[in-house]
Amino acid sequence: MIRWLIFVVIVGVADYYAFQSLKTITKNNWWHILYWVFTIAVLANFVIQFYSFSRSDGFSHANSYAIGLLIAMIVPKLILIAIMLGEDVIRIPQAIYSFFTQNSGDGVKHFPSRRTFVSKIALGLAAIPFASILYGIYRGKYNFKVLNYTLHFEDLPDAFDGYRLTQISDIHSGSFDNIKKVEYAIDLINEQQSDVILFTGDMVNNKASEMEPYIDIFKKLNAKDGMYSVLGNHDYGDYISWSNPEAKTQNLEDLKSLQKNIGFDLLLNENRFIEKNGQRIALVGVENWGKGGFKKAGDLKKAASKIDAKDFKILMSHDPSHWDEEVIKDDYHYHLTLSGHTHGMQFGIEIPGWFKWSPVKWRYKHWAGIYKELGQYINVNRGFGYLAFPGRVGIWPEITVIELKKGTKNT
């Protein structure tokens, strides 16, 4: 109840200032009517979808779009509030001063009118996130980007100098609503012609059945040294209600079979060796391990039980907090860890090679791209799909291509 009250207060204040701004720059009643029709329709749809949400099914497309439209409406209004409140910081003291210093009997208006140019500036600035969010919903969620990295290792086996791997993560197939765009992304992955494809978890939102319409599309993926995968937190079906524990268990088994059908070798706290010209690198895959209430099924010691400390090691672990908490502190040296999970929050500002920012940085120390600590690398993939909010703004869906090179960067 308190949450709803806070929500109503925020929306009420936002609409008060937004409508004031609109009235300042136009007296046309049709614009006023359109404003309220749009506002009421978005709010009503959100309330309807909120109360129709099914815990047994998880987020539907209708639920996601209701959230997306609400965000598209609220964020610009919050910008309006900030600007209009700033003007009121000046107007209110002026009104108080005028009240005590001017004779009200002379018909003096104590409260200054809101200035038109301030309203225009506010609406102009508010239009930027409004347009960006709508773009993110309409096109941004399928604006796939191939990000290329070259990483140097002095102890990389000679046979793997120039070895290329493609990483994808966080497919979240239950959110897709455009098969053609997914087909395009799969073709884009294959065009990279990497030696191996690695998938770092969250194939579905909740249920294995979400992936069924896309099985034949993903079966087109191919790499000469195979495809490997691990589980993410959403793959276990922990975020919806099940009719019985057996149904939940069966769902996970169905997902495992589905991954095998696509062509993935699913690593469940296991390892594999990729061999080339008599040399090898170790591929280690753990089940999900995440701090902050997320499932901790990952067992790093078990996953690495059959490899040697001197082996060159690539670890697949869905949640980057695992790297922070266990991996870089482990006795074994994990040369490269591949993670996902954060999605880059699907919102942020990024100028490749120069600047990146997202609110998710306040939750995760390592949230997007390549990081290096204690001589070990991690790549946090921004995700292939999307969840809850049906779009991406500034943080685009990612296909990562990493080339391994022998030696140091300067040689």
Side-chain angles (χ1 to χ4, degrees), residues 104-399:
S104 59
D106 296 334
V108 176
K109 184 177 181 180
H110 297 296
F111 203 73
S113 299
R114 190 173 294 282
R115 290 169 290 182
T116 301
F117 85 92
V118 173
S119 295
K120 287 182 177 179
I121 291 173
L123 286 171
L125 292 175
I128 296 174
F130 181 72
S132 298
I133 293 170
L134 291 183
Y135 174 84
I137 294 173
Y138 178 60
R139 297 195 63 175
K141 61 189 176 187
Y142 295 122
N143 186 23
F144 293 97
K145 300 295 183 184
V146 177
L147 300 186
N148 291 276
Y149 301 101
T150 300
L151 301 181
H152 295 75
F153 303 91
E154 293 185 5
D155 56 348
L156 179 71
D158 293 336
F160 290 88
D161 187 18
Y163 196 79
R164 285 163 56 88
L165 60 90
T166 289
Q167 180 199 3
I168 56 174
S169 192
D170 299 87
I171 291 171
H172 288 288
S173 56
S175 298
F176 292 148
D177 56 8
N178 191 320
I179 288 180
K180 292 295 183 183
K181 294 294 186 181
V182 178
E183 289 177 336
Y184 162 76
I186 296 303
D187 290 340
L188 191 58
I189 293 171
N190 285 333
E191 286 175 12
Q192 308 313 309
Q193 298 183 329
S194 289
D195 297 291
V196 67
I197 294 175
L198 306 176
F199 169 59
T200 48
D202 276 2
M203 179 165 281
V204 297
N205 294 346
N206 300 292
K207 295 182 177 181
S209 59
E210 297 167 9
M211 191 64 185
E212 290 176 359
Y214 306 98
I215 293 176
D216 289 340
I217 298 173
F218 277 82
K219 285 174 74 172
K220 296 178 183 178
L221 288 172
N222 67 84
K224 69 182 185 67
D225 288 340
M227 305 193 303
Y228 299 88
S229 64
V230 294
L231 296 175
N233 56 300
H234 279 267
D235 294 323
Y236 297 91
D238 288 342
Y239 303 118
I240 60 173
S241 299
W242 296 91
S243 56
N244 54 67
E246 291 75 20
K248 182 180 179 182
T249 300
Q250 185 59 52
N251 178 71
L252 182 56
E253 293 306 311
D254 291 343
L255 183 64
K256 293 176 183 178
S257 298
L258 187 150
Q259 293 210 28
K260 182 178 180 181
N261 186 20
I262 290 173
F264 284 111
D265 183 357
L266 178 62
L267 303 184
L268 302 169
N269 295 323
E270 299 172 279
N271 61 75
R272 303 285 188 269
F273 290 107
I274 299 176
E275 298 185 356
K276 189 176 181 180
N277 299 334
Q279 296 180 314
R280 72 183 189 179
I281 60 175
L283 187 61
V284 182
V286 296
E287 293 195 50
N288 190 80
W289 193 105
K291 68 178 183 179
F294 290 103
K295 181 181 286 291
K296 291 180 173 62
D299 188 332
L300 188 59
K301 296 297 184 184
K302 178 182 178 182
S305 60
K306 296 180 180 180
I307 66 176
D308 189 86
K310 296 181 180 179
D311 282 320
F312 186 92
K313 294 174 282 296
I314 298 175
L315 172 67
M316 300 196 311
S317 180
H318 177 71
D319 192 319
S321 66
H322 187 212
W323 193 67
D324 301 329
E325 297 295 316
E326 288 194 352
V327 177
I328 59 175
K329 304 172 186 176
D330 193 81
D331 293 337
Y332 274 14
H333 180 89
Y334 289 91
H335 299 76
L336 173 61
T337 297
L338 303 175
S339 298
H341 182 62
T342 71
H343 299 202
M345 202 176 169
Q346 298 168 211
F347 172 83
I349 302 171
E350 188 164 12
I351 303 173
W354 291 91
F355 177 80
K356 65 181 178 183
W357 176 88
S358 169
V360 77
K361 67 175 293 184
W362 297 322
R363 173 65 175 83
Y364 290 95
K365 180 180 178 182
H366 307 101
W367 59 273
I370 297 284
Y371 302 87
K372 184 179 182 182
E373 288 189 19
L374 301 178
Q376 302 171 77
Y377 288 97
I378 185 173
N379 179 62
V380 185
N381 185 284
R382 294 159 180 80
F384 184 92
Y386 52 93
L387 181 67
F389 173 64
R392 284 178 174 265
V393 180
I395 303 294
W396 311 120
E398 174 182 344
I399 297 164

